[in-house]
Amino acid sequence: MKNIHRLLLIAFFIASAATAFASDEHDKHAHHDTHKNEKFEPGSFIMDHIADAYDWHVLSYKDKHVSVPLPVIVISEQSGLNVFMSSKLHHGHSAYKGFYIAHEGEFKGKLVEKINGQEVRPFDISMTKNVVAMLVSMVILLWIFISVAKAYTRRKGKAPKGIQSLMEPLILFVRDEIAKPAIGEKKHEKYMPFLLTVFFFIWLNNLMGLVPLVPGGANVTGNITITMVLAVFTFIITTFSGNKNYWVHIFNTPGVPWWLKFPVPLMPLVELMGVFTKPFVLMVRLFANITAGHMIVLAFVSLIFIFGEISPMLGYGTSIVSILFVIFMNMLELLVALIQAYVFTLLSALYFGMATEEHH
C-alpha cells in the first residue's frame, strides 16, 4: 500500500507540473498582445515524439530546450561533405551552412538546403536518434553475448552463473519453443544465429523505447524503415533457403485443378504474391503495434494539456486519470515488447520451415 501511495503521489506531482506548464503557456499567450494565441496541437505533439530526430530531446521549459546534440553528416551537391553537430541548428529553428530542418512540405522534419530557390535533400547519413539508439543496443547485445560465451568457455560443464543463468533460459526458449517446432530438429541450428539476433534486438529496442531517459526513448522498432530491413533479411533467407519442394508448391501447387494453373496461371500468381506479402506483413505488424502503443501513451498525456487549456482545475482533474492510464499502458507495453519480439521471430522461423520442408 505504501508503494501505491508513493506512486500516486509521484503521478500527482507529474500531473501538476504538466498542468502548470500548460497553464503557464496559456497565460503567457493570453496576456501578451504581441503574440498569437497558440493552441496545443496533440497531433503535432504525438508525431514529434515518435518521429526520428537529429538531436536527443530531454525536456523543454518555456523557450528553453535541453537536448543531446548528435552528429549531422550530409553530402551536398554544392558544398560536398559537411559534418557538424545538431546543436548548430538550435533545436531545428535556424540554419547552418545553408542547411536547415524543414517544418512543412514534402521533407518535413528532414534536413534540407535551398538550391535555385527549391528545397533539396542532400545525401543524409546523419547519426539520428534512432541510429544512435540502435548502436547502443548493438553494443549492449554484443557485451551480453560475448560475456555469456566467455562464461561457457571458462566454466565448461558447470552450472550457469550470473548473467549466464539469465540468458540461458531465453536462448533455450528460442531454440526449443520457436526454432525446433517451426523448422525441424535437423535444420534449425543454422538459423539460430539470425533468430536469436532478431529476437533480442527487437526485444531490447522495444524495452529501451519505454525508458524516457537517454539512451532510451527512441522509437526504433516503431520506424517502418527499420522493420522493413528486418523483414527483408527474413525474405532473403527464406528465398535462398527454398528447396525444390518449396518452389514446386508455388509454381505448380499439388492438388489444385489444372484449370487454375493453365492457361491463366491464377494459383501460381497467388502463391507468388504470398512470397512478397509475408515479409510485408512482418514489417507492418511490428511497426504498427509498437507505434500504436507509443501513440496511446502520448494521447493520454495530451489530454492533460487539452483540458488544462480549457481550465487549470479541469486539467488537474484529468491529469490524475491520464497519468494512471499512462502507468497502466507502460506496464502493458512491457508485455507487448516481449510478445512482438516473439511473434516476429516465430513467423520468420515458420517461413524458414516452409522453405526447407521436404516432400512427404
Side-chain angles (χ1 to χ4, degrees):
M1 286 300 293
K2 286 183 179 179
N3 291 332
I4 294 174
H5 290 156
R6 288 172 186 169
L7 189 62
L8 289 174
L9 189 60
I10 292 169
F12 176 76
F13 280 120
I14 294 171
S16 299
T19 308
F21 177 78
S23 180
D24 288 344
E25 288 295 302
H26 181 267
D27 292 341
K28 182 178 72 175
H29 291 293
H31 289 90
H32 291 274
D33 296 329
T34 56
H35 292 80
K36 292 183 180 179
N37 188 16
E38 297 180 6
K39 288 188 176 182
F40 175 72
E41 297 181 3
S44 299
F45 169 77
I46 292 171
M47 295 310 297
D48 286 345
H49 278 77
I50 65 173
D52 200 3
Y54 290 95
D55 61 354
W56 214 306
H57 184 259
V58 179
L59 59 90
S60 295
Y61 180 72
K62 295 185 178 180
D63 294 329
K64 294 182 180 179
H65 302 283
V66 179
S67 60
V68 178
L70 300 174
V72 176
I73 308 168
V74 289
I75 302 175
S76 168
E77 294 180 5
Q78 291 184 328
S79 55
L81 177 66
N82 291 269
V83 181
F84 55 92
M85 298 302 290
S86 60
S87 55
K88 299 289 185 181
L89 300 172
H90 298 289
H91 205 71
H93 295 295
S94 61
Y96 180 75
K97 292 185 177 181
F99 300 101
Y100 61 94
I101 297 174
H103 295 287
E104 57 183 3
E106 181 184 358
F107 304 121
K108 183 178 180 181
K110 303 295 183 182
L111 200 73
V112 297
E113 61 178 333
K114 277 198 174 179
I115 300 178
N116 298 325
Q118 290 187 334
E119 287 187 344
V120 178
R121 277 277 287 156
F123 184 68
D124 193 350
I125 51 173
S126 302
M127 300 289 286
T128 61
K129 183 168 68 172
N130 282 346
V131 173
V132 175
M134 279 194 295
L135 291 175
V136 170
S137 66
M138 287 166 59
V139 170
I140 293 172
L141 288 176
L142 284 171
W143 172 73
I144 290 173
F145 282 100
I146 290 173
S147 300
V148 171
K150 287 181 178 179
Y152 273 110
T153 304
R154 289 195 311 267
R155 309 180 73 255
K156 202 169 185 179
K158 296 182 180 179
K161 185 180 179 181
I163 195 170
Q164 183 186 3
S165 61
L166 172 66
M167 298 305 297
E168 185 174 301
L170 296 171
I171 295 169
L172 292 177
F173 170 77
V174 174
R175 187 193 70 181
D176 297 337
E177 302 300 327
I178 297 177
K180 282 185 179 180
I183 303 172
E185 193 78 31
K186 297 179 180 178
K187 299 179 180 179
H188 75 278
E189 285 189 3
K190 68 177 181 179
Y191 298 102
M192 279 297 293
F194 175 76
L195 295 176
L196 286 172
T197 302
V198 166
F199 179 80
F200 285 104
F201 176 82
I202 294 173
W203 189 20
L204 179 59
N205 279 287
N206 287 349
L207 292 176
M208 287 178 62
L210 299 176
V211 180
L213 303 174
V214 178
N219 189 27
V220 175
T221 46
N223 187 309
I224 198 163
T225 55
I226 293 170
T227 60
M228 180 186 70
V229 171
L230 295 174
V232 166
F233 276 119
T234 297
F235 170 75
I236 292 171
I237 295 171
T238 303
T239 302
F240 283 94
S241 298
N243 56 20
K244 181 181 177 181
N245 182 57
Y246 174 71
W247 294 110
V248 166
H249 271 76
I250 291 173
F251 293 105
N252 187 23
T253 310
V256 175
W258 65 269
W259 47 270
L260 289 175
K261 306 175 188 177
F262 182 84
V264 179
L266 183 62
M267 279 305 297
L269 284 174
V270 171
E271 291 290 336
L272 191 60
M273 284 178 61
V275 172
F276 297 97
T277 55
K278 287 171 185 175
F280 179 78
V281 169
L282 273 181
M283 172 186 73
V284 174
R285 182 193 297 273
L286 180 58
F287 157 75
N289 279 282
I290 299 303
T291 302
H294 290 317
M295 291 180 74
I296 291 170
V297 170
L298 291 168
F300 281 120
V301 174
S302 298
L303 291 176
I304 302 171
F305 295 93
I306 293 170
F307 286 100
E309 285 187 336
I310 299 171
S311 167
M313 290 306 297
L314 189 59
Y316 279 110
T318 306
S319 61
I320 300 298
V321 179
S322 294
I323 294 298
L324 289 175
F325 270 110
V326 167
I327 294 171
F328 169 74
M329 280 303 302
N330 277 325
M331 296 299 104
L332 189 62
E333 283 290 291
L334 289 173
L335 180 62
V336 171
L338 176 60
I339 290 173
Q340 290 307 314
Y342 169 75
V343 169
F344 193 100
T345 309
L346 176 63
L347 290 176
S348 296
L350 287 171
Y351 298 159
F352 301 157
M354 288 188 288
T356 57
E357 186 181 11
E358 297 294 340
H359 178 69
H360 297 291

